[in-house]
Amino acid sequence: MSEQEFTITDLTRILLEGAGAGEGIDLGGDILDTDFEELGYESLALLETGGRIEREYGISLDDDIFTDHRTPRALVAAINGYLKELVAP
Amino acid sequence: MSVKTVITGIGVATANGLGVDEFWAATRVGKNAIGRVTRFDASSYPARLAGEVRGFEVSEHLPSRLIPQTDRMTQLALVAADCAFEDAGVEPGNIPEFDMGVVTASTSGGFEFGQNELKKLWSQGSQYVSAYQSFAWFYAVNSGQISIRNGMKGPSGVVVSDHAGGLDAIAQARRQIRKGSKLIFSGGFDASICPWGWVAQVAGGRLSTSDEPDRAYLPFDAAANGYVPGEGGALLILEDIRTARERGAENIYGEVAGYGATFDPKPGSGREPGLRRAIAVALADAGVEAGEVDVVFADAAGSPDLDRQEADAITAVFGPSGVPVTAPKTMIGRLYSGAAPVDVVSAVLAIREGLIPPTTNVELSPEYDLDLVTGQPRTASVRTALVLARGVGGFNSAVVVRATG
């Protein structure tokens, strides 16, 4: 199985599908280092986002994924870590 | 010092229009908005008519952040809340957050949202169920979402007592105003025109099975044979009249002057149903004599047994044909928690215009000694109106609204 890559584009798409975007928030802008909380996503929005990532990529995320990775950049890197393990356990 | 609780802002969404102007333009002339169910294919169900809110595009009104986490009833309520703020000329940020609260009523909760998630649960698996199912279905969710969106952290809650709840919530809001809150949102919204919600309503056993939109919901008519459900409701902004005047409120629609609520006796006890006492309590609370009431907005259940009970209660208090009675809900169906708040809106607009909207489609059965306003609207000097609502399970509520000027 070849390695998939998870990008910021994938993340913003999943965020929009599962939780939408707040008023005045442009997910297409430079959000890589902005905390999810500042982007208007509370724990439930992140739970929904995590669930959607798990479903789509066939991975199982740690319960602490969003407390350990609070920005899109950190999360994208972490998800890619999971995807790497998937092909080379 | 006595507190006078007044209505200063209105948001309404029914089959007869979004917003006060559209709603009243249709309601005052008795426009029938009942039609075939279009929100799902109801052709194989025993009931096939509804009062649907048409032309509501949620994305035109709410940020995308709120859409995946809300049922239709909540979306309608959030938009109505925005309208009510605008109507009241209040920016939520201008009032301290702990001085504003939200007390709404709910009958069903978010059935359509719940149905979609249950479908995913059983067809795809639990990991496909939205995290927002945790609250999107919940009775209190409209109060919660309105409070979060507008930063209202004062006393809030939800009342669940079917149609009566719409008045019970307004009464609870009035209590909070009396206790010192500056602004309380009240009212109710239900919108369960989806297969799961429909089955639940059909199971209640009182839906009309007619296919003729103008012959399906006929309270107090010899042909009465059930009711047509609708979706929507209304939200009211309540304030103490002094607070409202101090901020220069442009719309002071009327005062919530009296309230009474009773519970029916045990079925089969042979004792009198509770509605007459609810009316008596509300009139006494308002300090109003029966002869001062200019119009009654009936609960209008649409089943002969319940119509008989209501007609008896009205006649007992006001005498035979002693007061004009109307049921504008014949145009839009019964809205559950939303019905009575919508009637309160019609009542204050009737006061404002001096016009009683008609009970549409209905021809009064000679069995009832009622002065039912049918066919055409009736011009009348309206200063005091009584709104009635009953809930399945024995709830009876009555509210008196009165002109303030």
Side-chain angles (χ1 to χ4, degrees):
Chain A
M1 183 172 169
S2 70
E3 189 186 326
Q4 302 179 77
E5 203 196 349
F6 185 76
T7 66
I8 183 70
T9 315
D10 295 318
L11 177 59
T12 53
R13 174 179 52 80
I14 288 169
L15 280 169
L16 279 173
E17 284 168 4
E23 279 167 302
I25 304 279
D26 175 16
L27 291 185
D30 183 13
I31 57 157
L32 274 173
D33 296 307
T34 311
D35 273 26
F36 287 113
E37 204 179 314
E38 264 180 71
L39 293 170
Y41 297 111
E42 82 299 307
S43 58
L44 214 52
L46 297 177
L47 186 65
E48 176 64 17
T49 302
R52 282 171 182 262
I53 295 171
E54 288 183 326
R55 263 149 45 192
E56 192 170 323
Y57 290 87
I59 53 180
S60 178
L61 303 174
D62 279 351
D63 289 347
D64 297 337
I65 182 89
F66 286 100
T67 40
D68 294 341
H69 307 280
R70 292 170 183 275
T71 65
R73 188 192 298 279
L75 185 73
V76 167
I79 302 293
N80 280 315
Y82 278 94
L83 294 173
K84 226 176 220 119
E85 277 180 41
L86 213 55
V87 282
Chain B
M1 213 180 336
S2 75
V3 170
K4 205 181 249 191
T5 304
V6 292
I7 297 162
T8 59
I10 293 173
V12 60
T14 74
N16 251 340
L18 293 165
V20 178
D21 295 342
E22 207 180 304
F23 166 76
W24 186 240
T27 302
R28 62 189 291 287
V29 296
K31 188 179 153 203
N32 182 30
I34 287 171
R36 291 191 70 83
V37 171
T38 63
R39 292 194 56 76
F40 71 100
D41 178 6
S43 57
S44 62
Y45 292 75
R48 295 167 295 276
L49 298 178
E52 295 181 339
V53 175
R54 304 283 171 86
F56 175 73
E57 270 303 324
V58 63
S59 57
E60 289 171 12
H61 303 281
L62 294 177
S64 70
R65 185 75 184 81
L66 283 171
I67 296 171
Q69 57 177 285
T70 42
D71 182 79
R72 180 169 169 87
M73 61 142 195
T74 305
Q75 295 169 357
L76 290 166
L78 283 166
V79 173
D82 290 352
C83 292
F85 267 127
E86 197 184 321
D87 187 42
V90 173
E91 292 280 337
N94 293 348
I95 297 177
E97 55 190 12
F98 286 100
D99 288 340
M100 297 187 290
V102 190
V103 183
T104 62
S106 178
T107 295
S108 306
F111 256 70
E112 193 172 38
F113 195 103
Q115 174 183 319
N116 289 335
E117 299 315 311
L118 282 173
K119 205 162 138 189
K120 288 186 212 160
L121 175 66
W122 296 116
S123 63
Q124 293 172 281
S126 60
Q127 70 274 30
Y128 285 84
V129 176
S130 164
Y132 292 114
Q133 169 66 4
S134 55
F135 62 66
W137 74 272
F138 187 43
Y139 302 111
V141 74
N142 290 354
S143 288
Q145 289 283 21
I146 292 166
S147 116
I148 293 166
R149 177 163 165 82
N150 299 292
M152 308 168 83
K153 296 185 177 175
S156 296
V158 66
V159 191
V160 180
S161 42
D162 189 26
H163 281 76
L167 296 181
D168 299 335
I170 291 170
Q172 176 65 8
R174 185 176 68 149
R175 282 185 204 108
Q176 298 302 347
I177 295 292
R178 286 175 168 171
K179 286 183 187 169
S181 286
K182 282 203 158 62
L183 184 155
I184 304 281
F185 252 119
S186 194
F189 269 86
D190 269 289
S192 291
I193 306 179
C194 61
W196 188 32
W198 205 246
V199 166
Q201 293 172 71
V202 168
R206 290 191 180 272
L207 292 198
S208 167
T209 53
S210 168
D211 278 317
E212 297 172 69
D214 56 355
R215 297 300 297 157
Y217 174 31
L218 302 169
F220 307 113
D221 190 309
N225 192 19
Y227 71 90
V228 172
E231 60 177 356
L235 281 172
L236 312 170
I237 288 184
L238 302 181
E239 297 177 81
D240 173 24
I241 194 163
R242 282 166 305 167
T243 319
R245 286 196 171 133
E246 274 164 27
R247 70 167 180 83
E250 280 183 24
N251 291 318
I252 297 183
Y253 288 102
E255 179 196 1
V256 180
Y259 167 68
T262 60
F263 205 69
D264 282 337
K266 190 177 164 186
S269 72
R271 289 163 56 208
E272 185 196 16
L275 184 61
R276 184 192 58 76
R277 282 180 299 124
I279 298 171
V281 171
L283 294 180
D285 182 37
V288 160
E289 298 291 333
E292 294 173 68
V293 174
D294 300 308
V295 61
V296 175
F297 286 79
D299 175 60
S303 295
D305 57 335
L306 294 173
D307 289 350
R308 165 53 62 195
Q309 286 180 9
E310 184 168 33
D312 285 350
I314 293 170
T315 306
V317 176
F318 298 96
S321 300
V323 65
V325 176
T326 191
K329 53 170 73 83
T330 45
M331 303 170 212
I332 56 175
R334 286 175 66 77
L335 306 187
Y336 304 95
S337 71
V342 169
D343 278 341
V344 169
V345 170
S346 292
V348 296
L349 296 171
I351 288 171
R352 174 174 276 196
E353 183 171 343
L355 180 141
I356 300 170
T359 308
T360 212
N361 301 326
V362 169
E363 190 185 324
L364 180 67
S365 160
E367 279 191 37
Y368 302 115
D369 283 330
L370 294 177
D371 174 14
L372 192 69
V373 179
T374 56
Q376 299 291 319
R378 185 186 297 179
T379 50
S381 167
V382 181
R383 291 198 50 82
T384 304
L386 176 71
V387 178
L388 305 180
R390 288 175 290 180
V392 172
F395 302 99
N396 304 284
S397 293
V399 155
V400 175
V401 290
R402 183 160 59 194
T404 48

